[in-house]
Amino acid sequence: MKLGIVAPALVLFAGCAQHHPAPLPAPIGVCQAAPVQRFVGQQATPALLGEVQRISGAATARRITPEMRVTMEYSDARVNVWVGLKGEAERITCG
């Protein structure tokens, strides 16, 4: 008799449990700028650009200097290293 009362109650409470699926990893080739912010202020050498690309997960990287003209189309597969007049990375963004 007690099992007949407890079983329906368990079914009711099972619906109250919250289900939080694990976040999906970013697709391969999609830029993540947060992990590479530590490179801001360093000299933007080809080695640094390669490291930024690798750590950010981006498929491509581009070095943008003050005198350069660049296209403004957004690409989530690209990391941009904005370089100052002294050759240091001033900011790093995706796009």
Side-chain angles (χ1 to χ4, degrees), residues 50-63:
E51 190 71 0
V52 166
Q53 181 180 348
R54 185 183 68 76
I55 293 172
S56 71
T60 62
R62 81 177 157 176
R63 184 178 191 270

Side-chain angles (χ1 to χ4, degrees), residues 9-36:
L10 290 175
V11 171
L12 287 175
F13 289 119
C16 295
Q18 294 182 357
H19 177 65
H20 297 287
L24 297 173
I28 295 173
V30 174
C31 176
Q32 301 290 323
V36 293

Side-chain angles (χ1 to χ4, degrees), residues 44-90:
T45 62
L48 180 118
L49 197 65
E51 190 71 0
V52 166
Q53 181 180 348
R54 185 183 68 76
I55 293 172
S56 71
T60 62
R62 81 177 157 176
R63 184 178 191 270
I64 303 172
T65 59
E67 70 278 355
M68 280 181 71
R69 293 181 186 210
V70 295
T71 59
M72 297 304 291
E73 88 282 354
Y74 182 83
S75 170
D76 63 357
R78 179 175 55 218
V79 64
N80 299 305
V81 178
W82 299 81
V83 180
L85 293 173
K86 296 180 181 178
E88 74 285 350
E90 288 187 339

